[in-house]
Amino acid sequence: MQYPIWKIEEIRHQLEVVNGQGEPDKLITNATYLHSHLKTWVDGNIWIVGDRIVYAGKELPASTEGTEVIDATGLKIVPGYIEAHSHPFQLYNPETFSDYAAQTGTTMLVSDNLPLFLTMENKKAFSFMDSLRELPFSFYWWARFDSQTELEHEEELFTTKAITEWIERPDVIMGGELTGWPRLLNGDDQMLYWMQKAKASGMKIEGHFPGASERTLTKMRLLGTDGDHEAMTIEEVEKRILHGYAVTLRHSSIRPDLPNLLKEIVDKGWKIFDHLMMTTDGSTPGFHKDGVMDKCIQVALDAGVDPVDAYLMATFNPAKYYNLSNLHGVIATGRLASLNFLTDDHSPTPISVLSKGVWIKRDGERQVTFSGTDFSMFSNGPLQVELADTDFQFSMPFGLEMVNDVIIKPYRVRVDTTHDRLKDDHDESFLVLIDRNGKWKVNTLLKGFATTLQGFASSYSNMGDILLIGKDKNEMKKAYEAIKTQGGGIAVSQDGKITAKIDLPIGGGLSTHPVSELIEIEKVLKDELAAHGFHHGDAIYTLLFLQATHLPYVRVTQRGIVDVLKKQVLFPSVMR
């Protein structure tokens, strides 16, 4: 079963329109549109009733009284773009991100459910998802099988009952992504059982296999994985294709791999575009300044990919892969009326956008702003932790060293941590992770994050716990007080002043600002961090990666500091 499901009377009315006993709501004439099955441009007319294409071909309806007629002469029309691997919780929220994405032609997201699964009961999560379905946009979801970090009581969250409820949702179409895949290889039959249930429901299973060997890819394919989005080199693309994976190429704020990969595929003359998709993989706001999937299509065109293949990678290919081409990715009878109107086939940012039959943009002008989504279920209550001097005691013999965006290694602490302030002639900072309810804490040092950053606080983290980083314990407290008064956020404090801040009032992790505004707010924060020595790729992702146990080598988690490879807690969190 899939959404949407048209009622019997709606289908009968659609048939009446085709039979000449009624009029379409919209009629697009003189249309030159991409036919995804023929893989070519065809000319014709497109009849739309409500949110559905009821006819696409040479004929015109018998009557157009009351019909909105759109003359598409000189334009090219393609299906609405599909973001096949979305994390719509990167400071923005699903409503604001979909609103922004739709203006550039992306009208469907296949989205991560982890922030919903970890922070609220399924009933509330499903209510939130149902409210999003009221928007003129198409949302589909994943079902996660692991948490990406070490939680205090993960076994109480990831139960067969809870995961089965997600699998049974008709708008949940993917299992994974499998960041916890080593558990499968080590004999975790519980996860394998969840995967089998998902596949029995017609869902795809998405891997997360950066740097995986051919042997690992072989085993994961046998275990049931269908696709992977972690290929970073042309050799890794080839290995995945050879073993029958669907390959999603990534162009993100952390891994902008797409231009080089596509250029090499074109240069090699590989005829594999039917098996490729593209994703921005949850990029932070600033990366989207020039678009979402239209940005990826432009990269493909610039790399020399044939325009038809470039558009199909972001429309028909994901729709077919997820068994949704009866609704998406095809301009033909019976599909959703989600269409992008282009000035030409080398300009993927549309001048007009229809999504589920609703004008989102018309002749370059915004027509609607998404609103009305119920965010009340995200409330975790106010931040009530009162920081004490004992929260800033550091005696651990080793700290965490950021080698780059994703690799964190242990290192031996040699600086004196008994003073309230560390010197600026090195790149070591205090690091505190505190339970948002004040029950526990983890204290250590973080090397490689910044050099002169005095105080930094964030409630944007894997589980909404509080991250404090900085050279100065008092400035760290000031940064925390700045986010505490707003119910959550990210703040920098220097010399007693808050010099950058992002308010995140939705559950302490999501902004209410439109993405266009959030891009500028995020830039101020990132510029401030860079001015104080942050030199890695994406500071916002760092806040998540500090706790992400699918990355090497050590992480700070609710359970304490964890050796990822050995699956051992090196130093446990302590009660406050």
Side-chain angles (χ1 to χ4, degrees), residues 394-533:
F394 299 84
S395 59
M396 195 169 293
F398 77 87
L400 311 180
E401 180 179 4
M402 287 185 61
V403 178
N404 55 36
D405 283 298
V406 299
I407 295 177
I408 299 177
K409 292 184 175 181
Y411 82 100
R412 183 171 296 279
V413 173
R414 300 187 185 279
V415 300
D416 185 353
T417 61
T418 60
H419 299 293
D420 286 346
R421 183 164 180 169
L422 298 175
K423 294 181 179 180
D424 290 343
D425 60 357
H426 57 78
D427 64 350
E428 295 174 65
S429 303
F430 297 118
L431 168 63
V432 185
L433 178 67
I434 298 182
D435 170 47
R436 68 169 290 116
N437 297 311
K439 295 185 296 183
W440 52 261
K441 64 177 181 176
V442 184
N443 292 48
T444 187
L445 262 66
L446 179 63
K447 180 176 173 61
F449 184 82
T451 51
T452 61
L453 182 68
Q454 295 174 9
F456 178 89
S458 175
S459 60
Y460 179 79
S461 62
N462 281 66
M463 285 294 293
D465 299 316
I466 309 304
L467 280 165
L468 305 175
I469 303 171
K471 296 277 189 175
D472 189 305
K473 297 175 183 178
N474 291 319
E475 296 294 342
M476 293 163 70
K477 294 176 186 177
K478 287 185 173 67
Y480 170 70
E481 291 300 323
I483 68 171
K484 179 182 177 184
T485 59
Q486 301 299 317
I490 305 172
V492 175
S493 181
Q494 294 287 127
D495 300 321
K497 296 181 180 179
I498 301 301
T499 56
K501 188 173 72 162
I502 301 178
D503 293 335
L504 302 173
I506 303 176
L510 304 177
S511 172
T512 57
H513 285 287
V515 173
S516 57
E517 295 178 11
L518 189 57
I519 288 171
E520 301 305 318
I521 296 170
E522 181 204 32
K523 184 178 185 302
V524 172
L525 175 72
K526 287 185 172 179
D527 287 349
E528 182 70 6
L529 291 175
H532 295 290

Side-chain angles (χ1 to χ4, degrees), residues 143-357:
R144 286 272 198 163
F145 304 140
D146 64 276
S147 67
Q148 290 195 157
T149 187
E150 292 288 330
L151 303 179
E152 286 185 291
H153 305 292
E154 180 165 335
E155 69 283 353
E156 296 176 8
L157 286 171
F158 288 85
T159 67
T160 295
K161 179 180 183 297
I163 290 174
T164 298
E165 288 175 354
W166 278 87
I167 290 172
E168 290 176 347
R169 287 272 306 193
D171 51 354
V172 176
I173 61 174
M174 185 183 99
E177 56 184 300
L178 297 178
T179 54
W181 59 268
R183 289 162 45 186
L184 280 169
L185 295 184
N186 291 329
D188 187 338
D189 285 342
Q190 179 69 83
M191 187 180 290
L192 182 56
Y193 173 70
W194 295 334
M195 290 171 59
Q196 290 178 327
K197 284 184 70 72
K199 292 185 77 70
S201 295
M203 295 164 58
K204 300 294 185 181
I205 303 296
E206 179 71 8
H208 186 280
F209 310 141
S213 67
E214 185 174 27
R215 183 178 294 272
T216 293
L217 292 172
T218 299
K219 292 178 180 178
M220 293 309 302
R221 193 76 180 91
L222 292 173
L223 285 164
T225 311
D226 299 290
D228 182 69
H229 60 286
E230 290 288 334
M232 294 177 276
T233 66
I234 194 68
E235 292 78 17
E236 290 180 337
V237 172
E238 184 176 26
K239 281 192 294 187
R240 285 156 175 76
I241 291 293
L242 284 171
H243 288 284
Y245 283 87
V247 178
T248 304
L249 304 178
R250 180 169 46 191
H251 191 47
S252 75
S253 53
I254 290 292
R255 296 293 319 184
D257 299 316
L258 186 64
N260 290 336
L261 292 178
L262 285 176
K263 187 176 186 306
E264 291 188 72
I265 290 170
V266 170
D267 289 345
K268 289 179 178 292
W270 288 355
K271 306 298 183 183
I272 63 172
F273 290 103
D274 285 355
H275 307 286
L276 299 180
M277 297 173 279
M278 299 185 287
T279 179
T280 59
D281 196 15
S283 293
T284 47
F287 188 79
H288 290 294
K289 190 169 186 178
D290 51 355
V292 185
M293 293 314 297
D294 58 320
K295 176 175 183 167
C296 292
I297 297 168
Q298 189 63 63
V299 168
L301 295 170
D302 293 343
V305 177
D306 180 270
V308 170
D309 285 327
Y311 286 104
L312 293 183
M313 280 194 290
T315 57
F316 181 60
N317 290 5
K320 183 179 180 182
Y321 174 69
Y322 285 114
N323 300 316
L324 290 169
S325 61
N326 62 319
L327 295 175
H328 302 276
V330 185
I331 300 176
T333 300
R335 275 63 175 192
L336 280 169
S338 295
L339 309 172
N340 291 331
F341 296 73
L342 315 178
T343 55
D344 60 78
D345 59 2
H346 279 78
S347 302
T349 303
I351 61 167
S352 299
V353 179
L354 266 179
S355 181
K356 292 165 68 173

Side-chain angles (χ1 to χ4, degrees), residues 354-366:
L354 266 179
S355 181
K356 292 165 68 173
V358 176
W359 285 112
I360 303 297
K361 182 165 73 170
R362 188 80 185 271
D363 298 327
E365 298 294 327
R366 174 185 284 272

